[in-house]
């Protein structure tokens, strides 16, 4: 089976740093994605990790440890517009499942002034 | 081409009616996906196409659901004999086949079954 766990809600302060954790247990692994979703809108791609380590992209960074089944998304210099849900998603490996991705339930992040 | 488009954006129907949604992917993308999302949950995979071939269909998808992509471009998702439990946001996404295979999502069709 496939299981992706992330906190339901988090709150952080404008200008601060926040780390959103994700753990996964999947039958295979062929990459992990983070998406941002504002209320009532479609998810938008933030990052992709397939190898262990940290990928940095502006204010956002994503880390992966395949041996631990663990990832985190790090958001720096938080802005009010960062208030959104953050979705962790895993692509299982193999065959016709090569492109399917499995989403977690998302972490709703609220930024306070 | 500004991205993935979906039509309609909202649909209200009565239980037992049939509904059809359309998705137009980004033109260069050969893969197209359908997801369903309910409040407070992440998108749930329904099915996906590579060109016109439907390569995978979720076991969660009942026989009332069918999807087509006849010419390998736009796709339709039909729900027959709708039930209240079908009320959700239906999201379409498209991508290139390739190493990263990032999926680009459309704005979704919000279905309400009364």
């Amino acid at each position: 089976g496939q299981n992706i766990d992330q906190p339901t809600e988090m709150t952080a302060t404008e200008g601060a740093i926040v780390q959103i954790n994700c753990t996964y247990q999947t039958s295979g692994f062929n990459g992990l994605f983070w998406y941002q979703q504002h209320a009532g809108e479609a998810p938008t791609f933030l990052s992709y990790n397939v190898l262990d380590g940290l990928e940095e992209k502006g204010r956002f960074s994503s880390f992966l440890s395949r041996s631990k089944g663990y990832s985190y998304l790090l958001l720096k210099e938080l802005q009010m517009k960062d208030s959104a849900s953050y979705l962790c998603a895993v692509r299982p490996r193999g065959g016709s499942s090569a492109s399917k991705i499995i989403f977690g339930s998302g972490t709703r992040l609220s930024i306070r002034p | 081409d500004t991205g993935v488009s979906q039509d309609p954006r909202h649909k209200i129907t009565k239980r037992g009616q049939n509904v059809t949604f359309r998705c137009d992917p980004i033109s260069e993308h050969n893969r197209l996906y359908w997801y369903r999302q309910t409040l407070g949950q992440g998108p749930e995979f329904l099915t996906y196409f590579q060109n016109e071939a439907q390569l995978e269909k979720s076991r969660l998808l009942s026989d009332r659901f069918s999807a087509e992509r006849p010419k390998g471009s736009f796709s339709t998702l039909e729900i027959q004999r709708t039930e209240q439990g079908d009320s959700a946001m239906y999201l379409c996404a498209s991508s290139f086949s390739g190493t990263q295979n990032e999926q680009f999502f459309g704005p979704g069709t919000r279905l309400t079954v009364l």
Side-chain angles (χ1 to χ4, degrees), chain A residues 75-96:
Chain A
L75 292 76
K76 303 176 185 176
E77 301 169 15
L78 287 168
Q79 302 175 9
M80 298 301 293
K81 67 178 181 179
D82 297 329
S83 293
S85 286
Y86 291 85
L87 300 163
C88 175
V90 173
R91 183 166 65 202
R93 181 176 53 201
S96 64

mmCIF file of all heavy atoms in Angstrom, chain A residues 75-96:
data_model
loop_
_atom_site.group_PDB
_atom_site.id
_atom_site.type_symbol
_atom_site.label_atom_id
_atom_site.label_comp_id
_atom_site.label_asym_id
_atom_site.label_seq_id
_atom_site.Cartn_x
_atom_site.Cartn_y
_atom_site.Cartn_z
ATOM 1 N N LEU A 75 10.607 26.770 4.015
ATOM 2 C CA LEU A 75 10.219 28.069 3.463
ATOM 3 C C LEU A 75 10.885 29.162 4.304
ATOM 4 O O LEU A 75 10.699 29.226 5.518
ATOM 5 C CB LEU A 75 8.705 28.261 3.505
ATOM 6 C CG LEU A 75 7.828 27.395 2.604
ATOM 7 C CD1 LEU A 75 7.689 25.971 3.125
ATOM 8 C CD2 LEU A 75 6.452 28.026 2.429
ATOM 9 N N LYS A 76 11.631 30.025 3.642
ATOM 10 C CA LYS A 76 12.347 31.093 4.347
ATOM 11 C C LYS A 76 11.684 32.441 4.061
ATOM 12 O O LYS A 76 10.933 32.587 3.088
ATOM 13 C CB LYS A 76 13.793 31.159 3.863
ATOM 14 C CG LYS A 76 14.577 29.870 4.023
ATOM 15 C CD LYS A 76 15.977 30.017 3.422
ATOM 16 C CE LYS A 76 16.731 28.706 3.456
ATOM 17 N NZ LYS A 76 18.061 28.814 2.790
ATOM 18 N N GLU A 77 11.973 33.412 4.923
ATOM 19 C CA GLU A 77 11.480 34.788 4.735
ATOM 20 C C GLU A 77 9.990 34.778 4.388
ATOM 21 O O GLU A 77 9.566 35.318 3.371
ATOM 22 C CB GLU A 77 12.277 35.491 3.632
ATOM 23 C CG GLU A 77 13.762 35.563 3.927
ATOM 24 C CD GLU A 77 14.564 36.026 2.694
ATOM 25 O OE1 GLU A 77 13.974 36.536 1.739
ATOM 26 O OE2 GLU A 77 15.793 35.849 2.727
ATOM 27 N N LEU A 78 9.228 34.155 5.264
ATOM 28 C CA LEU A 78 7.815 33.937 4.989
ATOM 29 C C LEU A 78 7.077 35.233 4.677
ATOM 30 O O LEU A 78 7.301 36.273 5.309
ATOM 31 C CB LEU A 78 7.155 33.234 6.170
ATOM 32 C CG LEU A 78 7.508 31.759 6.328
ATOM 33 C CD1 LEU A 78 7.028 31.243 7.683
ATOM 34 C CD2 LEU A 78 6.920 30.940 5.197
ATOM 35 N N GLN A 79 6.179 35.131 3.701
ATOM 36 C CA GLN A 79 5.320 36.243 3.311
ATOM 37 C C GLN A 79 3.874 35.818 3.510
ATOM 38 O O GLN A 79 3.562 34.625 3.515
ATOM 39 C CB GLN A 79 5.589 36.603 1.849
ATOM 40 C CG GLN A 79 7.041 36.976 1.571
ATOM 41 C CD GLN A 79 7.323 37.213 0.101
ATOM 42 O OE1 GLN A 79 6.411 37.268 -0.728
ATOM 43 N NE2 GLN A 79 8.599 37.364 -0.234
ATOM 44 N N MET A 80 3.000 36.799 3.645
ATOM 45 C CA MET A 80 1.581 36.495 3.870
ATOM 46 C C MET A 80 1.027 35.641 2.737
ATOM 47 O O MET A 80 0.194 34.759 2.959
ATOM 48 C CB MET A 80 0.772 37.780 4.016
ATOM 49 C CG MET A 80 1.176 38.634 5.202
ATOM 50 S SD MET A 80 1.033 37.765 6.784
ATOM 51 C CE MET A 80 -0.724 37.559 6.911
ATOM 52 N N LYS A 81 1.525 35.847 1.516
ATOM 53 C CA LYS A 81 1.018 35.099 0.371
ATOM 54 C C LYS A 81 1.406 33.613 0.416
ATOM 55 O O LYS A 81 0.912 32.812 -0.383
ATOM 56 C CB LYS A 81 1.529 35.707 -0.937
ATOM 57 C CG LYS A 81 3.035 35.562 -1.140
ATOM 58 C CD LYS A 81 3.458 36.148 -2.481
ATOM 59 C CE LYS A 81 4.966 35.966 -2.695
ATOM 60 N NZ LYS A 81 5.414 36.511 -4.010
ATOM 61 N N ASP A 82 2.303 33.252 1.345
ATOM 62 C CA ASP A 82 2.682 31.844 1.495
ATOM 63 C C ASP A 82 1.625 31.038 2.242
ATOM 64 O O ASP A 82 1.740 29.803 2.353
ATOM 65 C CB ASP A 82 4.030 31.712 2.214
ATOM 66 C CG ASP A 82 5.181 32.342 1.446
ATOM 67 O OD1 ASP A 82 5.113 32.349 0.195
ATOM 68 O OD2 ASP A 82 6.124 32.831 2.090
ATOM 69 N N SER A 83 0.622 31.707 2.765
ATOM 70 C CA SER A 83 -0.494 30.997 3.410
ATOM 71 C C SER A 83 -1.203 30.160 2.357
ATOM 72 O O SER A 83 -1.775 30.689 1.394
ATOM 73 C CB SER A 83 -1.485 31.991 4.026
ATOM 74 O OG SER A 83 -0.910 32.679 5.105
ATOM 75 N N ALA A 84 -1.131 28.834 2.527
ATOM 76 C CA ALA A 84 -1.653 27.903 1.522
ATOM 77 C C ALA A 84 -1.527 26.495 2.092
ATOM 78 O O ALA A 84 -0.975 26.297 3.174
ATOM 79 C CB ALA A 84 -0.851 28.004 0.220
ATOM 80 N N SER A 85 -2.022 25.537 1.334
ATOM 81 C CA SER A 85 -1.758 24.137 1.661
ATOM 82 C C SER A 85 -0.543 23.666 0.876
ATOM 83 O O SER A 85 -0.366 24.045 -0.284
ATOM 84 C CB SER A 85 -2.965 23.265 1.313
ATOM 85 O OG SER A 85 -3.995 23.460 2.238
ATOM 86 N N TYR A 86 0.275 22.842 1.512
ATOM 87 C CA TYR A 86 1.463 22.305 0.877
ATOM 88 C C TYR A 86 1.320 20.786 0.812
ATOM 89 O O TYR A 86 1.160 20.115 1.831
ATOM 90 C CB TYR A 86 2.711 22.743 1.633
ATOM 91 C CG TYR A 86 2.924 24.223 1.462
ATOM 92 C CD1 TYR A 86 2.284 25.142 2.295
ATOM 93 C CD2 TYR A 86 3.694 24.723 0.418
ATOM 94 C CE1 TYR A 86 2.418 26.502 2.102
ATOM 95 C CE2 TYR A 86 3.845 26.089 0.225
ATOM 96 C CZ TYR A 86 3.201 26.972 1.067
ATOM 97 O OH TYR A 86 3.333 28.327 0.873
ATOM 98 N N LEU A 87 1.367 20.280 -0.410
ATOM 99 C CA LEU A 87 1.094 18.867 -0.664
ATOM 100 C C LEU A 87 2.382 18.124 -0.971
ATOM 101 O O LEU A 87 3.136 18.524 -1.867
ATOM 102 C CB LEU A 87 0.151 18.729 -1.859
ATOM 103 C CG LEU A 87 -1.213 19.407 -1.735
ATOM 104 C CD1 LEU A 87 -1.865 19.545 -3.107
ATOM 105 C CD2 LEU A 87 -2.110 18.605 -0.813
ATOM 106 N N CYS A 88 2.627 17.067 -0.236
ATOM 107 C CA CYS A 88 3.741 16.155 -0.501
ATOM 108 C C CYS A 88 3.186 15.030 -1.372
ATOM 109 O O CYS A 88 2.075 14.527 -1.115
ATOM 110 C CB CYS A 88 4.251 15.618 0.832
ATOM 111 S SG CYS A 88 5.534 14.369 0.735
ATOM 112 N N ALA A 89 3.925 14.640 -2.397
ATOM 113 C CA ALA A 89 3.428 13.600 -3.308
ATOM 114 C C ALA A 89 4.580 12.711 -3.746
ATOM 115 O O ALA A 89 5.682 13.195 -3.992
ATOM 116 C CB ALA A 89 2.763 14.243 -4.527
ATOM 117 N N VAL A 90 4.310 11.433 -3.857
ATOM 118 C CA VAL A 90 5.333 10.458 -4.220
ATOM 119 C C VAL A 90 4.941 9.730 -5.490
ATOM 120 O O VAL A 90 3.767 9.380 -5.685
ATOM 121 C CB VAL A 90 5.543 9.433 -3.075
ATOM 122 C CG1 VAL A 90 6.480 8.306 -3.503
ATOM 123 C CG2 VAL A 90 6.092 10.135 -1.846
ATOM 124 N N ARG A 91 5.921 9.498 -6.356
ATOM 125 C CA ARG A 91 5.680 8.692 -7.553
ATOM 126 C C ARG A 91 6.233 7.292 -7.313
ATOM 127 O O ARG A 91 7.426 7.113 -7.137
ATOM 128 C CB ARG A 91 6.363 9.324 -8.759
ATOM 129 C CG ARG A 91 6.098 8.578 -10.061
ATOM 130 C CD ARG A 91 6.491 9.409 -11.253
ATOM 131 N NE ARG A 91 7.925 9.668 -11.292
ATOM 132 C CZ ARG A 91 8.474 10.683 -11.953
ATOM 133 N NH1 ARG A 91 7.725 11.529 -12.599
ATOM 134 N NH2 ARG A 91 9.779 10.847 -11.951
ATOM 135 N N PRO A 92 5.348 6.303 -7.275
ATOM 136 C CA PRO A 92 5.828 4.929 -7.111
ATOM 137 C C PRO A 92 6.593 4.484 -8.348
ATOM 138 O O PRO A 92 6.437 5.040 -9.409
ATOM 139 C CB PRO A 92 4.538 4.114 -6.948
ATOM 140 C CG PRO A 92 3.463 5.105 -6.718
ATOM 141 C CD PRO A 92 3.898 6.370 -7.373
ATOM 142 N N ARG A 93 7.341 3.472 -8.229
ATOM 143 C CA ARG A 93 8.192 3.050 -9.324
ATOM 144 C C ARG A 93 7.532 1.982 -10.142
ATOM 145 O O ARG A 93 6.759 1.193 -9.639
ATOM 146 C CB ARG A 93 9.502 2.507 -8.756
ATOM 147 C CG ARG A 93 10.529 2.048 -9.777
ATOM 148 C CD ARG A 93 11.814 1.626 -9.088
ATOM 149 N NE ARG A 93 11.576 0.645 -8.056
ATOM 150 C CZ ARG A 93 12.439 0.424 -7.056
ATOM 151 N NH1 ARG A 93 13.545 1.115 -6.957
ATOM 152 N NH2 ARG A 93 12.170 -0.497 -6.158
ATOM 153 N N GLY A 94 7.827 1.978 -11.454
ATOM 154 C CA GLY A 94 7.605 0.773 -12.210
ATOM 155 C C GLY A 94 6.431 0.755 -13.149
ATOM 156 O O GLY A 94 5.372 1.297 -12.855
ATOM 157 N N GLY A 95 6.610 0.163 -14.277
ATOM 158 C CA GLY A 95 5.577 -0.190 -15.232
ATOM 159 C C GLY A 95 4.649 0.950 -15.554
ATOM 160 O O GLY A 95 5.052 2.094 -15.695
ATOM 161 N N SER A 96 3.363 0.620 -15.641
ATOM 162 C CA SER A 96 2.396 1.647 -15.999
ATOM 163 C C SER A 96 2.154 2.617 -14.873
ATOM 164 O O SER A 96 1.482 3.615 -15.070
ATOM 165 C CB SER A 96 1.077 1.001 -16.417
ATOM 166 O OG SER A 96 0.519 0.304 -15.330
#
